[in-house]
Structures are given as C-alpha cells and as structure tokens.
Amino acid sequence: LEDTAGLAITAMLEMISELAGHGTSVGGLRIGIATGPVVARSPRGTPLIVGQAPALATRILSQTPPGGILVADSTRRAGADR
C-alpha cells in the first residue's frame, strides 16, 4: 500500500465516528497509531506481529490518556494530507 499512514489515520477517524454514531461512548478508548513494515504469522494458531511499528504503537498507546489519540510523528508526517 502506498498510503498506509493516511489509510490508518482515516480508519481511526471512521472507527470513532461509527462508534459515536451508534451511541457508543468512546471516552475510555485509547488509540495509538504507528505505521511501517511488519512480519505477521500465526504459529500454532496464535497471532504474532513483529516489527518496529507495532512496538512503537504499543509505546504510544501506553502514553495515551483515556479518550485520547496519539499518532507517531513519522505516521503523522506521512499522512499529513488526510
């Protein structure tokens, strides 16, 4: 995908809009977004995703307050036109 950063940001905004449109509270929701190459596999049925992007997203998520959205600087810059 050429515009993964923009797609990730758009998906996040659409998800929040969809939840709010159904009356679902998003106040406790935490979102952390980072994009980049990953390796995904499912050994013995257990999903495993490895790479810098998921590790960064996890770190970002740990710093996100309830109801907050944090986007990695690199992802924000790459998806700036969204």
Side-chain angles (χ1 to χ4, degrees):
L1 295 171
E2 293 180 17
D3 185 24
T4 55
L7 291 172
I9 293 168
T10 298
M12 174 211 37
L13 295 172
E14 288 177 0
M15 179 178 66
I16 291 170
S17 177
E18 188 71 21
L19 288 170
H22 285 90
T24 303
S25 172
V26 293
L29 184 66
R30 299 171 192 236
I31 299 175
I33 296 180
T35 53
V38 300
V39 174
R41 58 186 178 155
S42 187
R44 289 182 242 124
T46 304
L48 176 65
I49 301 172
V50 180
Q52 289 181 344
L56 178 56
T58 299
R59 288 194 306 273
I60 289 171
L61 189 58
S62 73
Q63 301 299 313
T64 307
I69 301 165
L70 291 180
V71 179
D73 286 340
S74 57
T75 300
R76 183 186 47 77
R77 285 189 303 271
D81 62 340
R82 292 281 171 163

